Amino acid sequence: MALLDRTSTLGPVRDKVEAGERLDLEDGLTILESDDLLEIGELADLARRLRGGNDEVSFVQNLYLSQTNVCRVKCKFCAFAATQKQEHAYSTTTEELVRDAVAQHRLASFTEIHMVNGENPHIDLDFYLDTLRALKAELPDVHLKCYTASEVHHMTTLSGLTHEEVLVELKAAGLDSLPGGGAEIFADRVRALVAPGKEHADIWFHVHDTAHRMGLRSTCTMLYGHVETYEERIDHLIRLREQQDRTGGFVAFIPLAFHPENTVFERRGFRHSTGSEDLKMMAVSRLMLDNIPNIKAYWIMMGMPLSAVGLHFGANDVQGTVMRETIFHAAGAQTETEQKIDQLVRFVREAGRIPVQRDSLHNTIQVWDAA
Ligand code: V47
């Protein structure tokens, strides 16, 4: 039987990957517009290996906290935020939050607290500083990855201080790094549609730029699968890559698939992105972001089975044990809210990779050799 010749549009991209050349906007679009999912995955895995990646897949042992869901911004993609008057609104005192974190730490000695909140207009900068100080005093060895760039910017409007002044205070109080939320899609057109009350993309970049120059590390994200075009996705990745060229402070990138449940978009008929779209985003992120060392297959968002495939589409990290996720679960995520270490180890092994427990800055804590 004669085999049909397949013409691949990905040839020129492959040539560049093999030559170690940087991909441009057109290359990114070619990848997203291609239906050759397996070749895209293979290319992303190749790029990862050519840039020094090996078979190790990492995770961190972490606890997710959120001190308040009260938020002044009404992002249309968000199912987590509440106004002060709504029944499900909460703001936890520092004492309650720390007591809870300490109790959880006794049960599972996590190495990281990941904290993201609403932009609560009813609390001030001291509230955040007191929280960091108290967490650091009780859990001195735990890395505090807290407050997105949007929250940091919100703290400047509450306090009248600059980004740098707020970050200096947060760092002195115990902040160790920033999470990557608030990025959404940087293009003005999309921001105006999905997050009209949110700060301009330039402000998001200024906060990360300032943090990096102060020696703080951060992660970065993209929220895809709503009203953005492929061009706007690739533009987002290129802007992150340019920032990384300037400061080198991003330790990882996490593509976040939009979860429409309980949001305005659910009523407009939006559906969750498909598995193949999620895998393409994973791969194109790895291919475009040639200067960000770690790309995460966020199992909370993708589920464990698709995350395992994501490890062959350019990802080398699965985030963590993630006790108590709330943002994605408010928007309909059906995934678990926690994986124990032995579950993650088994999961990584079954995907054909070597499990590595890491710290928040991606230094190795423990490698699980072959079973
Ligand atoms: O900025 C909110 C996203 C972000 C939805 O740094 C949604 O490791 C999908 O900062 N569907 C906040 N996404 C959470 C955040 C984060 C998340 C995961 C990893 C890291 C990290 C940081 O969550 C928001 C937005 O982009 N988000 N609602 C939703 N319905």
Side-chain angles (χ1 to χ4, degrees), residues 77 114 145 148 179-182 184 219 223 254 257 259 319 327-328 331:
F77 55 77
H114 167 121
K145 175 183 167 190
T148 65
E184 323 316 357
T219 47
L223 172 64
I254 310 108
H259 283 51
Q319 180 82 334
I327 295 178
F328 281 73

Side-chain angles (χ1 to χ4, degrees), residues 143-195:
H143 180 107
L144 302 180
K145 175 183 167 190
C146 305
Y147 313 132
T148 65
S150 309
E151 290 173 77
V152 172
H153 180 65
H154 175 60
M155 292 174 204
T156 66
T157 60
L158 292 173
S159 63
L161 300 177
T162 62
H163 291 152
E164 184 170 7
E165 288 164 343
V166 165
L167 285 166
V168 165
E169 295 229 25
L170 293 173
K171 194 176 174 198
L175 181 77
D176 292 303
S177 69
L178 296 179
E184 323 316 357
I185 291 280
F186 295 131
D188 290 343
R189 184 193 76 85
V190 180
R191 266 181 128 69
L193 288 172
V194 304

